[in-house]
Amino acid sequence: MVKTPHFNWYGRGFKLRAAITIACQMAFVLFGYDQGVFGGIVGNPDFLDTFNHPAPALEGIIVSIYNLGCFTGCILSFMFCEKTGRRLAMWIAMVWIIIGAILQTTAYSVPHMMVARFITGIGTGIETSTVPMYQSELCEAKKRGRLVSSEPLFVGVGIEIAYWFDYGMSFTSGSIAWRLPIACQMIFAFIVMVLVFGLPESPRYLYKHGRSEEALAILCDVYDGTPDDPQIARENSEILEALKVEQEHGEYKWSQLLKRDRVQTGRRVLLAYGMQFMNQMGGINLVVYYITSVLQLNVGLTRNLSLLLGGVINLMFFIGSLFPTFFLDRIGRRKPMMWGSFGLGVSMMLISILLSFKSQGGNVAKHTASASVTFFFTYMLIFGATANCIPWVYVPEILPLHVRAKGTAVGISANWLWNFFVVMITPTLLNNLEWKGYLIFMCLNFSFVPLVVSIVSEFSRI
C-alpha cells in the first residue's frame, strides 16, 4: 500500500463528484485518441516512406502491438493495483503514455515505432483497468450505469478529435503531418495527471487496507454529508459487508479467481472476460483503426474522401454512445447487448453482400460498393449504443470487492488481447479476403445473441 499526495482542490459534494467524473472521462478521451490517431496516419505518404512501405502483415503488427502493450499493462495492473491504489495507478499510467508518445514522435525505424507503441499501450492498459473501477467505486448505484457508460462515450470524442486532426494534417507535407498528431496525445495525459492530484482515493480500497477513518471521511466529502446520513451509512454498510465476505473466504489468490462460492466469483470473472471478448470480436477495430484503408481498398474511394468519411463514420460512435449514457440505468444490460449484436451482424452481412458485386465491374459494382458505406454508419451507430458502453459498466459492476481489482484487470485483458488479434489480422484480411472477411464478423456477432440470452444475468450490486 502506497500513500500519495492529495490536494483538496475540488471541495465537497457535487464539485468533487464532477471532478472525479471529468478526470475519468478525460482519461477515456485519451484512450480514444490513441486508438483513432493511427487510422489517418498509416496511409500517409511520408509515414510510408519513413518506414519503407511495410507489407500488410507488418503494418498490422506495427499498429496492433499497441494493443499487446495494453494487455501487458493489464497484467501489471493485476500485480500492482492493490498495492498502489487507484489514484497512483492512474498517474503511473499517464507516465507510461507520455514516454511512449515521445518515442513514437521521434521514431525513424520500424523497431523504434513498435517499441514506442508497446510502451504507450502499457499505460493505456493500466488506465483502462483502473478508471472504470475507480468511477464505479465513487458513485451511487443508481447512477453507476450512466456515469461509467459516459467513459466509453468519451472514447468516441477522442476518436473524433484524432480523425479530424489527421484529416487537417493531411493537407500538409513532411513528417509533421503524422508526428504532430501522435505527439498531441501527451496534452491529454498531462491534463489527467494534474486532475488526479486533487482526487480522493477509492474508499473501498482504503477500507480494505485498514484506513477506515480516511475512507469514511472521503465518503462524507463525496456525498457532502455526515456519517449518520442514510446514503453514506448505506454505502458504508455495503462496503463492510463485502469485506466480511472476503474475510470469511480469506484473501483471494490468482488460483481462486474461478472459485465457486456463494457469490459466484468464478462465474462473474468469466462473464467479465466474455463481455470484453464480445466487445472486440464483433469487428469494431476494423472500423476504428482502418476505416480509411477500408474505404480506399474495398470501396474504391479516394484518400481524401476516405479520410473525410472516416471522421463522419466515427462520429456515429459518439452519437450512438449518447443513448446508454442517459438510458442504460433504465433499460438494463442484457437486452441492449442482445439486440446490439444482432444489429452489428446485419450491418456486417450487408457490407459483405454489397461489396461482393465489386468483382463484376461496371456501374453496378460502383453503386453497390458506394451503398456499402451506409452500413459502416449503421454499424458504428449500433456499436456506440450497445456494445461500446455496456461491457465497461458490466465488468466492475458484477465483480465482488474481494476480486474487483484482479477481476477487472482480467476482463480488460480480454479487451486488449482480442483487440490485438483483430487489429493484427485486418490489413491481411482486407487485402486477401476483401468482402469475404466481413462474413467472419457477421457470424461472430450473430453467435453472440444466444450467448447473451443464455449466459448473461443481471447481478445485483455486491
Side-chain angles (χ1 to χ4, degrees):
M1 182 178 64
V2 180
K3 290 187 178 182
T4 53
H6 173 246
F7 304 97
N8 188 20
W9 293 338
Y10 312 119
R12 292 165 58 93
F14 176 78
K15 290 182 179 179
L16 180 56
R17 294 195 301 271
I20 292 167
T21 300
I22 290 169
C24 293
Q25 290 170 346
M26 185 59 66
F28 269 68
V29 171
L30 172 58
F31 172 22
Y33 187 92
D34 282 349
Q35 284 198 302
V37 73
F38 253 65
I41 284 175
V42 290
N44 179 276
D46 188 84
F47 179 88
L48 294 173
D49 289 340
T50 301
F51 299 104
N52 298 317
H53 293 263
L58 181 57
E59 177 187 319
I61 294 172
I62 292 171
V63 178
S64 66
I65 199 168
Y66 164 80
N67 301 296
L68 197 59
C70 294
F71 176 74
T72 304
C74 288
I75 295 174
L76 293 176
S77 184
F78 291 168
M79 299 168 63
F80 301 114
C81 186
E82 281 304 311
K83 296 179 181 178
T84 63
R86 317 301 191 230
R87 292 175 63 249
L88 183 57
M90 291 167 66
W91 196 88
I92 291 170
M94 295 305 110
V95 173
W96 278 100
I97 289 171
I98 290 167
I99 293 171
I102 292 171
L103 292 174
Q104 284 186 72
T105 305
T106 58
Y108 280 93
S109 66
V110 170
H112 187 163
M113 178 59 78
M114 290 173 67
V115 170
R117 284 186 61 74
F118 184 84
I119 290 172
T120 305
I122 290 175
T124 305
I126 297 171
E127 169 200 337
T128 54
S129 297
T130 304
V131 170
M133 176 170 56
Y134 178 74
Q135 175 73 86
S136 69
E137 291 177 345
L138 280 162
C139 64
E140 302 170 76
K142 64 181 181 181
K143 295 181 179 179
R144 186 191 302 117
R146 186 189 312 164
L147 291 174
V148 178
S149 65
S150 74
E151 293 166 6
L153 166 69
F154 281 82
V155 173
V157 175
I159 291 172
E160 277 299 287
I161 293 171
Y163 262 89
W164 290 114
F165 195 4
D166 285 345
Y167 180 70
M169 294 304 294
S170 70
F171 294 98
T172 66
S173 59
S175 64
I176 193 172
W178 60 272
R179 294 187 190 275
L180 183 60
I182 290 175
C184 282
Q185 64 190 282
M186 289 185 283
I187 295 173
F188 301 106
F190 279 120
I191 292 172
V192 174
M193 288 180 72
V194 172
L195 288 173
V196 167
F197 278 115
L199 301 182
E201 184 55 84
S202 162
R204 287 165 174 78
Y205 170 81
L206 294 173
Y207 271 119
K208 185 174 180 179
H209 290 273
R211 293 158 63 180
S212 301
E213 292 184 3
E214 189 177 346
L216 184 58
I218 287 173
L219 284 174
C220 292
D221 286 342
V222 170
Y223 298 109
D224 195 15
T226 65
D228 297 327
D229 286 350
Q231 182 178 11
I232 295 173
R234 183 172 61 252
E235 290 279 335
N236 195 40
S237 64
E238 288 175 352
I239 296 170
L240 292 175
E241 175 62 27
L243 285 171
K244 182 180 178 182
V245 172
E246 179 178 349
Q247 290 168 356
E248 288 176 0
H249 295 279
E251 184 177 354
Y252 270 61
K253 300 178 181 178
W254 294 110
S255 60
Q256 297 175 298
L257 277 182
L258 301 181
K259 182 178 179 181
R260 293 184 178 182
D261 53 27
R262 71 181 182 88
V263 294
Q264 304 181 62
T265 297
R267 184 164 182 251
R268 291 170 187 259
V269 171
L270 287 175
L271 281 172
Y273 188 92
M275 288 294 283
Q276 290 291 358
F277 171 84
M278 287 187 278
N279 179 280
Q280 291 303 310
M281 291 306 292
I284 178 58
N285 284 303
L286 178 150
V287 183
V288 171
Y289 280 87
Y290 295 111
I291 187 60
T292 303
S293 300
V294 165
L295 296 176
Q296 285 183 262
L297 293 174
N298 294 158
V299 181
L301 304 180
T302 64
R303 175 162 176 80
N304 182 67
L305 183 55
S306 297
L307 282 166
L308 186 61
L309 281 175
V312 180
I313 288 170
N314 278 287
L315 180 60
M316 297 300 103
F317 184 105
F318 171 78
I319 293 173
S321 297
L322 292 171
F323 175 75
T325 299
F326 293 104
F327 298 108
L328 188 61
D329 286 320
R330 299 182 189 176
I331 60 178
R333 317 300 190 237
R334 186 191 301 177
K335 287 184 179 179
M337 277 297 294
M338 180 181 67
W339 289 108
S341 295
F342 180 77
L344 295 176
V346 170
S347 296
M348 282 292 182
M349 178 181 69
L350 292 171
I351 290 170
S352 181
I353 291 171
L354 291 168
L355 289 179
S356 68
F357 289 95
K358 190 178 178 184
S359 60
Q360 297 179 10
N363 287 331
V364 173
K366 181 178 179 181
H367 294 322
T368 53
S370 298
S372 70
V373 176
T374 302
F375 297 100
F376 286 108
F377 278 86
T378 63
Y379 179 93
M380 290 300 276
L381 187 67
I382 294 168
F383 185 88
T386 57
N388 175 40
C389 296
I390 293 171
W392 297 96
V393 179
Y394 194 76
V395 168
E397 186 175 57
I398 65 168
L399 292 169
L401 178 64
H402 57 276
V403 293
R404 184 164 290 159
K406 292 182 175 71
T408 299
V410 168
I412 305 305
S413 72
N415 177 290
W416 292 117
L417 182 62
W418 296 105
N419 190 326
F420 165 73
F421 176 76
V422 171
V423 174
M424 181 181 66
I425 68 170
T426 294
T428 302
L429 182 147
L430 296 178
N431 279 273
N432 296 343
L433 295 182
E434 298 181 338
W435 64 270
K436 302 181 188 72
Y438 299 91
L439 294 175
I440 297 171
F441 298 109
M442 177 198 75
C443 293
L444 284 167
N445 279 301
F446 283 147
S447 71
F448 295 154
V449 176
L451 284 174
V452 171
V453 172
S454 61
I455 297 175
V456 177
S457 299
E458 298 285 354
F459 283 99
S460 60
R461 188 181 182 194
I462 290 186

